[in-house]
Amino acid sequence: MVTRLRALGAQWTTVVPLLAVVLLVLTWGRDLPGVVVAVVTLVLAGAVLSAVHHAEVIAHRVGEPFGSLVLAIAVTIIEVALIVTLMADGGDKSSTLARDTVFAAVMITCNGIVGLCLLVGALRHRVAVFNPEGTGAALATVATLATLCLVLPAFTTTKQGPEFSTSQLTFAAIAALVLYGLFVSTQTVRHRDYFLPLTKRGEVIDSDSHAEGPSSRAALTSLGLLGLALIGVVGLAKGVSPTIESGVESAGMPHAVVGVIIALLVLLPETIAAVRATRRDRVQTSLNLALGSAMASIGLTIPAVAVASVWLSGPLVLGLSATHMILLVLTVIVGTLTVVPGRATPLQGGVHLVLFAAYLELAITP
């Protein structure tokens, strides 16, 4: 019976990514009726669950922190492609698209996912234990990238408005790539042990040493299916965005809310994977996913839009508003105080979730 259930699970996680891509091809660029939107939403949910499954297979094969890095980079690369595609469509709204999407990703990961994982971990295991050295390095990199790419454009004077000049944008793009590359090198080569899960006594855990990992063929198959699933998630999320946009407009909410909803859908695979890791008392893995996604979102998106701005018409607004700067500063301060002890109670998780709720509230009613 157990063997049959495993076989059934393997079948649906293989079929759903393929179905998502086929449905994406059939619906791309078309106005979708309500029934089709419902079908797309169901397939989208299945693609999210399938992506989480294949990400865990890969993580089991390659181990941490490589597993969380694969999922973070895969999601971000596809997200960047979506942003550049939408910006290429033109329109006044595209000028702030990169900024809004990146900032939404930072707030969702650094407050939403981190807060949820710390709360679940602390409630389930009394305290959530993680490595402050690795987590602190990740948070410092996220804070530096966010400040260089999203805060400074609001204060530069070379160009009018919250924009970088060409040389400033080039510097920000190169700095983002360099910092992200240094972090990945630190995470995977020089100080890999800083990013491995810990016991409550502070001992490093090789989380998969007790179980037989999947074969190389199975891992490569999951890698391909993960890519298809994520393409389906991002593409189908864009497909239902007109329906979401209509709902947001009819509710009288700002257009920026659409970007928040799309970002929530795109980051759903990482959210589920992070919570599942926390339930297994692997809080460090969850934080690797959350902060790694925030870092990849800035470190890959800004260079991509910098290159795309060469042929894209219209301004590229990157500077945050004063309200969002305050939220970013508060997030960095709270995140630092959370990371320093190396363990968290439900209070720290609740504080991050309140900050995330404040971001959502101000996005709906600015």
Side-chain angles (χ1 to χ4, degrees), residues 107-147:
M107 297 304 291
I108 290 169
T109 53
C110 294
N111 285 320
I113 300 179
V114 167
L116 182 60
C117 290
L118 293 181
L119 182 62
V120 170
L123 290 176
R124 189 175 178 85
H125 307 287
R126 190 171 177 81
V127 291
V129 180
F130 50 88
N131 194 324
E133 293 170 304
T135 309
L139 180 63
T141 308
V142 171
T144 301
L145 287 172
T147 302

Side-chain angles (χ1 to χ4, degrees), residues 51 55 66-76 226 230 269-270 273 289 293:
F66 299 98
S68 56
L69 184 65
V70 168
L71 180 57
I73 292 180
V75 169
T76 305
L226 172 63
L230 293 176
E270 280 145 310
L289 275 168
S293 296

Side-chain angles (χ1 to χ4, degrees):
M1 183 67 179
V2 174
T3 303
R4 291 180 63 184
L5 289 175
R6 288 180 178 175
L8 181 61
Q11 289 175 3
W12 81 260
T13 55
T14 300
V15 171
V16 170
L18 299 173
L19 179 61
V21 173
V22 171
L23 189 59
L24 174 61
V25 172
L26 295 176
T27 59
W28 184 262
R30 299 183 181 181
D31 294 330
L32 306 180
V35 175
V36 177
V37 169
V39 173
V40 168
T41 303
L42 288 175
V43 175
L44 174 61
V48 167
L49 297 176
S50 178
V52 173
H53 167 78
H54 292 298
E56 290 182 341
V57 171
I58 296 168
H60 194 188
R61 174 63 184 177
V62 302
E64 283 297 322
F66 299 98
S68 56
L69 184 65
V70 168
L71 180 57
I73 292 180
V75 169
T76 305
I77 288 176
I78 298 172
E79 181 183 356
V80 167
L82 176 61
I83 291 172
V84 173
T85 300
L86 292 174
M87 291 181 67
D89 292 339
D92 296 334
K93 296 176 183 178
S94 66
S95 63
T96 61
L97 179 64
R99 178 199 67 185
D100 293 341
T101 304
V102 169
F103 185 66
V106 170
M107 297 304 291
I108 290 169
T109 53
C110 294
N111 285 320
I113 300 179
V114 167
L116 182 60
C117 290
L118 293 181
L119 182 62
V120 170
L123 290 176
R124 189 175 178 85
H125 307 287
R126 190 171 177 81
V127 291
V129 180
F130 50 88
N131 194 324
E133 293 170 304
T135 309
L139 180 63
T141 308
V142 171
T144 301
L145 287 172
T147 302
L148 287 176
C149 300
L150 301 178
V151 175
L152 286 183
F155 295 95
T156 55
T157 58
T158 302
K159 291 190 69 174
Q160 186 176 4
E163 302 175 43
F164 272 144
S165 66
T166 301
S167 63
Q168 291 168 344
L169 182 60
T170 302
F171 169 78
I174 294 174
L177 285 175
V178 169
L179 282 177
Y180 186 66
L182 283 173
F183 176 80
V184 171
S185 174
T186 301
Q187 184 185 33
T188 59
V189 181
R190 292 187 62 86
H191 299 286
R192 177 173 173 263
D193 54 317
Y194 288 178
F195 301 89
L196 295 177
L198 300 177
T199 65
K200 288 182 173 58
R201 296 181 179 179
E203 299 170 348
V204 173
I205 302 172
D206 185 353
S207 59
D208 294 319
S209 61
H210 64 282
E212 182 181 354
S215 64
S216 298
R217 180 178 179 182
L220 289 174
T221 301
S222 285
L223 181 61
L225 291 172
L226 172 63
L228 292 178
L230 293 176
I231 290 172
V233 169
V234 177
L236 294 178
K238 181 183 182 297
V240 299
S241 62
T243 302
I244 297 173
E245 189 174 43
S246 300
V248 167
E249 291 178 354
S250 62
M253 293 184 287
H255 187 269
V257 175
V258 177
V260 176
I261 296 174
I262 297 300
L264 286 169
L265 290 173
V266 170
L267 290 170
L268 193 54
E270 280 145 310
T271 304
I272 296 175
V275 172
R276 291 176 68 169
T278 297
R279 289 176 60 86
R280 298 194 305 270
D281 202 14
R282 301 294 186 263
V283 178
Q284 184 63 54
T285 300
S286 302
L287 297 181
N288 290 345
L289 275 168
L291 297 177
S293 296
M295 197 184 311
S297 183
I298 306 174
L300 298 179
T301 300
I302 300 304
V305 297
V307 173
S309 65
V310 174
W311 72 83
L312 294 177
S313 60
L316 177 61
V317 177
L318 292 177
L320 295 173
S321 65
T323 302
H324 286 167
M325 286 184 201
I326 292 173
L327 286 175
L328 180 61
V329 170
L330 190 55
T331 296
V332 173
I333 293 173
V334 171
T336 302
L337 296 175
T338 297
V339 166
V340 167
R343 56 184 57 225
T345 65
L347 175 61
Q348 281 96 333
V351 171
H352 281 281
L353 288 176
V354 167
L355 278 175
F356 179 58
Y359 165 69
L360 294 179
E361 169 63 21
L362 293 172
I364 296 172
T365 56

